[in-house]
Amino acid sequence: MAFIKNFTWGVATASYQIEGGAFEADKGLNVWDVGSATAGRIFEGHKGDVGCDHYHRFREDVKLMKELGIRAYRFSVNWARLIPDGTGKISEDGKRFYLELLEELKKAGIEPWVTLFHWDYPYALYLKGGWLNPESPKWFENYAAVCAELFKPYVKHFILINEPECFIGLGHFTGGHAPFLKRPAGEVIPAAHHVLLGCGLAEKKIRAIAGDVKIGTAQAYWPFLPYREEDYELAKTETFRCHEDFGGPALWLDPLLKGEYPADYLAWFERNGFRPSAEDMALIASKLDFVGLNTYSGNYVTKENGALKEVVPSPSVPKTDTRWNVYPDVMYYGPKFIFERYGLPIVYTEDGVALSEWKDLDGRINDDSRIDFLKRYLRALHRAAQEAPVEGYFYWTLYDNFEWAEGFSKKFGLVHFDPDSLERTPKKSAYFYKKVIETNGEEIFR
Ligand code: NOJ
């Protein structure tokens, strides 16, 4: 009944969402430090300046993870903490912080999975055009080289980028995330291409420096689902189709794993005046060891009168506090679609649920709905794992943290975090997840 032996069970966080210490030592600013200061962008004016104060409390946090039986920890490096200007001089303090964190994890027997870039782009590079600048792939490659060199004694798993769908789509196209730009597709498509070039260059650089390591990405993945079993191919096609935005997985994974953009994306690029060169495609093509997926929900599709129809959820479908539909099927069909297209092992680099909840008068957080969510999603994943190589699962997230434009209002954590007292309190689900890990998944069937 269990998952494969050596299945990776972890939790995930991201630097801007938890670190705080925004103005500590010689750390450079990033686009979230700067962008979140403008009124009206973030829920009730929340900021990540203090975050969960992880920068000062990382030892306590590692201890907490150990107590909760967490085996792997996915976190991201704040690029401008390590290299204040994005390129050039390395910060001694940034270096110290990440090496001390890695040392602490090592002592606790927790395996680090390091994401190089989770949206907090160095402001100094943003002022030079950021991802819109054709030099940006090189900047990322250099940064990856610094990380590989510094972290190689500790790190065996690198995740190049987190959800380009969001930092490009939301960050540069629709404007809801830093750097809060709304640029036309003709400008954003080259930026997306630069991200991919950066990944291609970084992948080769990391292998050259760190040798025998596993490298992947973490995609925002909201698959389309078959409403009826006969809608399987339809849902799969819809999942990988170009929707003329930056959200689809094929835009990001096909170039890296097949060395080409799908034809429908190329046609969209062409209409927007962009044609990628063969030399660039050769640099982008990469040997990834796994596909990392961040999945929370999806959409059902079917056919009606011969035409595709998105199914409106019945009012009885449970909704999370972010108003995402609870659709466990995403964890069954999602990995199958990815495996059928790319043939690589799959790691869930994120999955989780935000609930409206608070500490009860007795000081406890009885988040039974999160436990139920975990059971439903992990059972579906277990089913998928009988048909596709699913190698790991990272719950999003360790503790409640800064949920981007939603500030601290959306709570995904296994551990409650109080932004006033900075206190961490494990929720009931944290103990459930501990049992899931101890039993390699069997607890989800009890
Ligand atoms: C996607 C992102 O990677 C993460 O930063 C975010 O907090 C969660 N999913 C929840 O929205």
Side-chain angles (χ1 to χ4, degrees):
M1 271 317 234
F3 285 82
I4 55 158
K5 203 169 149 265
N6 298 331
F7 189 85
T8 300
W9 292 102
V11 291
T13 65
S15 41
Y16 187 74
Q17 295 180 271
I18 66 160
E19 278 184 5
F23 312 108
E24 214 73 36
D26 57 344
K27 174 184 163 293
L29 295 177
N30 62 58
V31 293
W32 277 94
D33 291 325
V34 178
S36 61
T38 300
R41 284 178 172 164
I42 313 294
F43 178 77
E44 293 187 349
H46 296 180
K47 283 185 195 158
D49 294 1
V50 176
C52 301
D53 201 31
H54 173 74
Y55 173 79
H56 294 111
R57 293 166 192 244
F58 66 94
R59 290 199 163 83
E60 183 188 333
D61 289 340
V62 173
K63 189 164 165 267
L64 177 65
M65 281 191 271
K66 190 173 178 194
E67 279 162 15
L68 295 176
I70 306 296
R71 304 253 173 88
Y73 177 44
R74 173 182 172 228
F75 66 93
S76 75
V77 178
N78 184 327
W79 185 342
R81 189 182 300 286
L82 194 58
I83 310 177
D85 294 328
T87 56
K89 196 177 140 277
I90 300 171
S91 157
E92 281 308 312
D93 181 72
K95 199 162 116 179
R96 173 205 57 78
F97 171 67
Y98 290 110
L99 290 177
E100 285 182 5
L101 170 62
L102 287 165
E103 185 60 36
E104 208 67 18
L105 288 165
K106 188 177 166 190
K107 281 195 267 167
I110 299 171
E111 199 192 338
W113 286 53
V114 175
T115 309
L116 297 187
F117 179 61
H118 197 130
W119 307 358
D120 38 8
Y121 198 78
Y123 191 62
L125 295 183
Y126 167 70
L127 293 178
K128 295 183 184 167
W131 291 113
L132 301 167
N133 189 322
E135 289 296 304
S136 59
K138 280 263 164 225
W139 301 336
F140 185 66
E141 181 191 24
N142 292 338
Y143 165 58
V146 170
C147 291
E149 194 58 56
L150 278 178
F151 305 150
K152 69 179 174 190
Y154 294 95
V155 179
K156 291 284 162 246
H157 292 88
F158 285 95
I159 293 168
L160 301 170
I161 43 164
N162 179 75
E163 298 198 354
E165 296 83 355
C166 295
F167 69 81
I168 291 297
L170 301 176
H172 294 74
F173 194 48
T174 53
H177 276 191
F180 300 96
L181 299 178
K182 276 191 198 176
R183 309 303 302 169
E187 281 180 35
V188 186
I189 290 167
H193 183 71
H194 295 151
V195 170
L196 285 164
L197 257 178
C199 286
L201 295 173
E203 181 262 342
K204 291 156 196 75
K205 199 58 155 213
I206 295 170
R207 288 195 199 284
I209 295 173
D212 186 20
V213 293
K214 304 256 188 242
I215 302 178
T217 58
Q219 304 300 140
Y221 183 49
W222 289 55
F224 286 90
L225 304 167
Y227 189 59
R228 305 160 307 173
E229 206 42 52
E230 60 264 39
D231 297 323
Y232 188 90
E233 286 305 320
L234 178 84
K236 190 161 104 177
T237 305
E238 200 55 13
T239 295
F240 294 109
R241 190 169 69 80
C242 170
H243 293 261
E244 307 214 344
D245 60 18
F246 298 87
L251 167 61
W252 307 100
L253 291 172
D254 274 32
L256 289 169
L257 299 173
K258 298 171 173 231
E260 59 188 19
Y261 288 103
D264 53 355
Y265 279 97
L266 283 175
W268 180 46
F269 291 0
E270 188 81 39
R271 287 197 295 282
N272 286 283
F274 180 73
R275 192 177 291 172
S277 71
E279 298 80 66
D280 278 5
M281 297 318 292
L283 291 173
I284 292 173
S286 298
K287 285 197 192 67
L288 297 186
D289 299 288
F290 61 91
V291 178
L293 301 173
N294 297 353
T295 292
Y296 295 82
S297 190
N299 294 293
Y300 283 95
V301 284
T302 190
K303 249 195 181 136
E304 205 173 76
N305 301 325
L308 176 111
K309 187 187 152 206
E310 259 193 54
V311 179
V312 179
S314 140
S316 70
V317 171
K319 295 227 183 319
T320 72
D321 196 35
T322 40
R323 288 215 177 179
W324 298 343
N325 297 310
V326 177
Y327 281 159
D329 272 356
V330 289
M331 304 302 272
Y332 174 65
Y333 293 106
K336 273 166 62 82
F337 292 168
I338 291 287
F339 182 60
E340 283 166 21
R341 191 171 177 103
Y342 302 112
L344 280 181
I346 289 157
V347 174
Y348 271 85
T349 37
E350 280 183 33
D351 170 53
V353 58
L355 298 174
S356 170
E357 60 191 6
W358 56 85
K359 208 184 251 189
D360 291 348
L361 286 173
D362 66 4
R364 283 192 270 221
I365 304 99
N366 293 308
D367 55 340
D368 288 307
S369 298
R370 183 167 288 105
I371 295 174
D372 184 72
F373 176 94
L374 275 164
K375 282 188 181 170
R376 289 174 193 259
Y377 272 49
L378 285 172
R379 282 181 191 182
L381 184 65
H382 183 265
R383 186 174 162 218
Q386 314 308 310
E387 300 170 48
V390 181
E391 297 188 342
Y393 178 89
F394 289 79
Y395 180 79
W396 182 271
T397 175
L398 172 61
Y399 38 42
D400 303 333
N401 57 41
F402 180 87
E403 176 58 20
W404 309 111
E406 303 290 347
F408 287 95
S409 70
K410 300 297 174 204
K411 301 171 193 314
F412 285 87
L414 293 171
V415 174
H416 176 273
F417 169 73
D418 182 328
D420 286 335
S421 66
L422 307 178
E423 195 189 348
R424 288 100 161 106
T425 314
K427 303 175 189 175
K428 192 172 172 185
S429 60
Y431 300 108
F432 170 76
Y433 193 52
K434 184 177 185 185
K435 282 205 201 114
V436 172
I437 298 173
E438 278 165 9
T439 59
N440 196 23
E442 288 194 15
E443 185 67 17
I444 61 172
F445 296 105
R446 289 184 183 151

mmCIF file of all heavy atoms in Angstrom, residues 302-324:
data_model
loop_
_atom_site.group_PDB
_atom_site.id
_atom_site.type_symbol
_atom_site.label_atom_id
_atom_site.label_comp_id
_atom_site.label_asym_id
_atom_site.label_seq_id
_atom_site.Cartn_x
_atom_site.Cartn_y
_atom_site.Cartn_z
ATOM 1 N N THR A 302 -15.116 18.802 -20.774
ATOM 2 C CA THR A 302 -15.831 17.742 -21.477
ATOM 3 C C THR A 302 -16.193 18.247 -22.873
ATOM 4 O O THR A 302 -15.765 19.345 -23.270
ATOM 5 C CB THR A 302 -17.085 17.306 -20.674
ATOM 6 O OG1 THR A 302 -17.609 16.137 -21.262
ATOM 7 C CG2 THR A 302 -18.151 18.387 -20.634
ATOM 8 N N LYS A 303 -16.952 17.439 -23.590
ATOM 9 C CA LYS A 303 -17.397 17.855 -24.920
ATOM 10 C C LYS A 303 -18.905 17.991 -24.904
ATOM 11 O O LYS A 303 -19.605 17.136 -24.350
ATOM 12 C CB LYS A 303 -17.007 16.789 -25.944
ATOM 13 C CG LYS A 303 -15.952 17.278 -26.869
ATOM 14 C CD LYS A 303 -15.781 16.428 -28.084
ATOM 15 C CE LYS A 303 -14.660 17.071 -28.888
ATOM 16 N NZ LYS A 303 -13.728 16.131 -29.399
ATOM 17 N N GLU A 304 -19.381 19.080 -25.482
ATOM 18 C CA GLU A 304 -20.834 19.236 -25.592
ATOM 19 C C GLU A 304 -21.143 19.680 -27.014
ATOM 20 O O GLU A 304 -20.558 20.673 -27.485
ATOM 21 C CB GLU A 304 -21.317 20.283 -24.586
ATOM 22 C CG GLU A 304 -22.761 20.085 -24.192
ATOM 23 C CD GLU A 304 -23.156 21.047 -23.074
ATOM 24 O OE1 GLU A 304 -23.351 22.237 -23.379
ATOM 25 O OE2 GLU A 304 -23.232 20.605 -21.918
ATOM 26 N N ASN A 305 -22.009 18.951 -27.666
ATOM 27 C CA ASN A 305 -22.329 19.207 -29.085
ATOM 28 C C ASN A 305 -21.052 19.341 -29.920
ATOM 29 O O ASN A 305 -20.907 20.270 -30.722
ATOM 30 C CB ASN A 305 -23.175 20.480 -29.235
ATOM 31 C CG ASN A 305 -24.467 20.387 -28.456
ATOM 32 O OD1 ASN A 305 -25.059 19.309 -28.359
ATOM 33 N ND2 ASN A 305 -24.886 21.496 -27.862
ATOM 34 N N GLY A 306 -20.118 18.481 -29.649
ATOM 35 C CA GLY A 306 -18.883 18.463 -30.427
ATOM 36 C C GLY A 306 -17.870 19.532 -30.031
ATOM 37 O O GLY A 306 -16.758 19.559 -30.531
ATOM 38 N N ALA A 307 -18.236 20.417 -29.110
ATOM 39 C CA ALA A 307 -17.298 21.486 -28.736
ATOM 40 C C ALA A 307 -16.805 21.296 -27.307
ATOM 41 O O ALA A 307 -17.504 20.735 -26.454
ATOM 42 C CB ALA A 307 -17.997 22.836 -28.868
ATOM 43 N N LEU A 308 -15.587 21.804 -27.057
ATOM 44 C CA LEU A 308 -15.005 21.713 -25.716
ATOM 45 C C LEU A 308 -15.788 22.599 -24.735
ATOM 46 O O LEU A 308 -16.136 23.733 -25.069
ATOM 47 C CB LEU A 308 -13.555 22.193 -25.776
ATOM 48 C CG LEU A 308 -12.857 22.237 -24.430
ATOM 49 C CD1 LEU A 308 -11.797 21.167 -24.365
ATOM 50 C CD2 LEU A 308 -12.260 23.595 -24.177
ATOM 51 N N LYS A 309 -16.007 22.053 -23.564
ATOM 52 C CA LYS A 309 -16.726 22.849 -22.560
ATOM 53 C C LYS A 309 -16.031 22.718 -21.213
ATOM 54 O O LYS A 309 -15.739 21.610 -20.779
ATOM 55 C CB LYS A 309 -18.157 22.327 -22.466
ATOM 56 C CG LYS A 309 -19.029 23.178 -21.593
ATOM 57 C CD LYS A 309 -20.396 22.549 -21.391
ATOM 58 C CE LYS A 309 -20.920 23.017 -20.057
ATOM 59 N NZ LYS A 309 -21.856 22.111 -19.464
ATOM 60 N N GLU A 310 -15.748 23.854 -20.590
ATOM 61 C CA GLU A 310 -15.213 23.810 -19.226
ATOM 62 C C GLU A 310 -16.374 23.613 -18.275
ATOM 63 O O GLU A 310 -17.390 24.304 -18.381
ATOM 64 C CB GLU A 310 -14.500 25.117 -18.894
ATOM 65 C CG GLU A 310 -13.000 24.957 -19.006
ATOM 66 C CD GLU A 310 -12.219 26.097 -18.391
ATOM 67 O OE1 GLU A 310 -12.447 26.410 -17.209
ATOM 68 O OE2 GLU A 310 -11.383 26.655 -19.128
ATOM 69 N N VAL A 311 -16.225 22.679 -17.372
ATOM 70 C CA VAL A 311 -17.346 22.344 -16.497
ATOM 71 C C VAL A 311 -17.376 23.288 -15.293
ATOM 72 O O VAL A 311 -16.382 23.432 -14.579
ATOM 73 C CB VAL A 311 -17.215 20.877 -16.011
ATOM 74 C CG1 VAL A 311 -18.355 20.507 -15.082
ATOM 75 C CG2 VAL A 311 -17.150 19.944 -17.210
ATOM 76 N N VAL A 312 -18.493 23.933 -15.108
ATOM 77 C CA VAL A 312 -18.648 24.815 -13.942
ATOM 78 C C VAL A 312 -18.840 23.924 -12.719
ATOM 79 O O VAL A 312 -19.678 23.020 -12.730
ATOM 80 C CB VAL A 312 -19.882 25.733 -14.116
ATOM 81 C CG1 VAL A 312 -20.062 26.630 -12.894
ATOM 82 C CG2 VAL A 312 -19.753 26.554 -15.383
ATOM 83 N N PRO A 313 -18.043 24.157 -11.662
ATOM 84 C CA PRO A 313 -18.164 23.264 -10.508
ATOM 85 C C PRO A 313 -19.550 23.347 -9.876
ATOM 86 O O PRO A 313 -20.145 24.425 -9.819
ATOM 87 C CB PRO A 313 -17.108 23.774 -9.525
ATOM 88 C CG PRO A 313 -16.557 25.020 -10.089
ATOM 89 C CD PRO A 313 -17.028 25.197 -11.483
ATOM 90 N N SER A 314 -20.015 22.210 -9.433
ATOM 91 C CA SER A 314 -21.292 22.197 -8.710
ATOM 92 C C SER A 314 -21.097 22.979 -7.409
ATOM 93 O O SER A 314 -20.004 22.986 -6.837
ATOM 94 C CB SER A 314 -21.648 20.737 -8.409
ATOM 95 O OG SER A 314 -22.186 20.635 -7.124
ATOM 96 N N PRO A 315 -22.138 23.629 -6.936
ATOM 97 C CA PRO A 315 -21.998 24.384 -5.666
ATOM 98 C C PRO A 315 -21.584 23.490 -4.503
ATOM 99 O O PRO A 315 -21.158 23.983 -3.475
ATOM 100 C CB PRO A 315 -23.395 24.955 -5.430
ATOM 101 C CG PRO A 315 -24.133 24.804 -6.705
ATOM 102 C CD PRO A 315 -23.483 23.730 -7.505
ATOM 103 N N SER A 316 -21.682 22.178 -4.690
ATOM 104 C CA SER A 316 -21.315 21.294 -3.586
ATOM 105 C C SER A 316 -19.804 21.030 -3.528
ATOM 106 O O SER A 316 -19.317 20.437 -2.564
ATOM 107 C CB SER A 316 -22.048 19.957 -3.727
ATOM 108 O OG SER A 316 -21.522 19.252 -4.825
ATOM 109 N N VAL A 317 -19.053 21.476 -4.540
ATOM 110 C CA VAL A 317 -17.596 21.229 -4.524
ATOM 111 C C VAL A 317 -16.960 22.065 -3.416
ATOM 112 O O VAL A 317 -17.165 23.281 -3.359
ATOM 113 C CB VAL A 317 -16.962 21.590 -5.895
ATOM 114 C CG1 VAL A 317 -15.447 21.551 -5.833
ATOM 115 C CG2 VAL A 317 -17.476 20.663 -6.983
ATOM 116 N N PRO A 318 -16.192 21.420 -2.510
ATOM 117 C CA PRO A 318 -15.554 22.198 -1.437
ATOM 118 C C PRO A 318 -14.552 23.201 -1.998
ATOM 119 O O PRO A 318 -13.834 22.896 -2.956
ATOM 120 C CB PRO A 318 -14.820 21.139 -0.602
ATOM 121 C CG PRO A 318 -15.208 19.816 -1.146
ATOM 122 C CD PRO A 318 -15.866 20.000 -2.464
ATOM 123 N N LYS A 319 -14.527 24.391 -1.412
ATOM 124 C CA LYS A 319 -13.572 25.421 -1.841
ATOM 125 C C LYS A 319 -12.645 25.760 -0.680
ATOM 126 O O LYS A 319 -13.068 25.828 0.473
ATOM 127 C CB LYS A 319 -14.318 26.686 -2.257
ATOM 128 C CG LYS A 319 -15.196 26.530 -3.482
ATOM 129 C CD LYS A 319 -14.980 27.674 -4.438
ATOM 130 C CE LYS A 319 -15.848 27.667 -5.677
ATOM 131 N NZ LYS A 319 -16.080 26.424 -6.341
ATOM 132 N N THR A 320 -11.385 25.993 -1.017
ATOM 133 C CA THR A 320 -10.419 26.359 0.013
ATOM 134 C C THR A 320 -10.566 27.854 0.307
ATOM 135 O O THR A 320 -11.372 28.538 -0.323
ATOM 136 C CB THR A 320 -8.981 26.085 -0.467
ATOM 137 O OG1 THR A 320 -8.650 27.064 -1.462
ATOM 138 C CG2 THR A 320 -8.850 24.691 -1.058
ATOM 139 N N ASP A 321 -9.746 28.367 1.215
ATOM 140 C CA ASP A 321 -9.846 29.793 1.549
ATOM 141 C C ASP A 321 -9.343 30.687 0.410
ATOM 142 O O ASP A 321 -9.600 31.889 0.403
ATOM 143 C CB ASP A 321 -9.061 30.073 2.840
ATOM 144 C CG ASP A 321 -9.442 31.420 3.431
ATOM 145 O OD1 ASP A 321 -10.629 31.804 3.320
ATOM 146 O OD2 ASP A 321 -8.560 32.109 3.980
ATOM 147 N N THR A 322 -8.611 30.104 -0.541
ATOM 148 C CA THR A 322 -8.220 30.876 -1.733
ATOM 149 C C THR A 322 -9.251 30.677 -2.853
ATOM 150 O O THR A 322 -9.016 31.077 -3.992
ATOM 151 C CB THR A 322 -6.813 30.458 -2.230
ATOM 152 O OG1 THR A 322 -6.693 29.036 -2.117
ATOM 153 C CG2 THR A 322 -5.716 31.110 -1.436
ATOM 154 N N ARG A 323 -10.366 30.016 -2.505
ATOM 155 C CA ARG A 323 -11.449 29.725 -3.450
ATOM 156 C C ARG A 323 -11.004 28.793 -4.571
ATOM 157 O O ARG A 323 -11.437 28.935 -5.720
ATOM 158 C CB ARG A 323 -11.996 31.014 -4.066
ATOM 159 C CG ARG A 323 -12.788 31.805 -3.100
ATOM 160 C CD ARG A 323 -13.901 32.471 -3.842
ATOM 161 N NE ARG A 323 -14.743 33.200 -2.904
ATOM 162 C CZ ARG A 323 -15.785 33.907 -3.264
ATOM 163 N NH1 ARG A 323 -16.118 33.989 -4.529
ATOM 164 N NH2 ARG A 323 -16.503 34.523 -2.375
ATOM 165 N N TRP A 324 -10.090 27.907 -4.253
ATOM 166 C CA TRP A 324 -9.689 26.895 -5.225
ATOM 167 C C TRP A 324 -10.527 25.649 -4.967
ATOM 168 O O TRP A 324 -10.754 25.264 -3.805
ATOM 169 C CB TRP A 324 -8.194 26.587 -5.102
ATOM 170 C CG TRP A 324 -7.321 27.785 -5.385
ATOM 171 C CD1 TRP A 324 -7.702 28.937 -6.033
ATOM 172 C CD2 TRP A 324 -5.945 27.972 -5.022
ATOM 173 N NE1 TRP A 324 -6.639 29.823 -6.096
ATOM 174 C CE2 TRP A 324 -5.556 29.262 -5.487
ATOM 175 C CE3 TRP A 324 -5.007 27.198 -4.351
ATOM 176 C CZ2 TRP A 324 -4.263 29.772 -5.307
ATOM 177 C CZ3 TRP A 324 -3.719 27.705 -4.173
ATOM 178 C CH2 TRP A 324 -3.351 28.965 -4.652
#
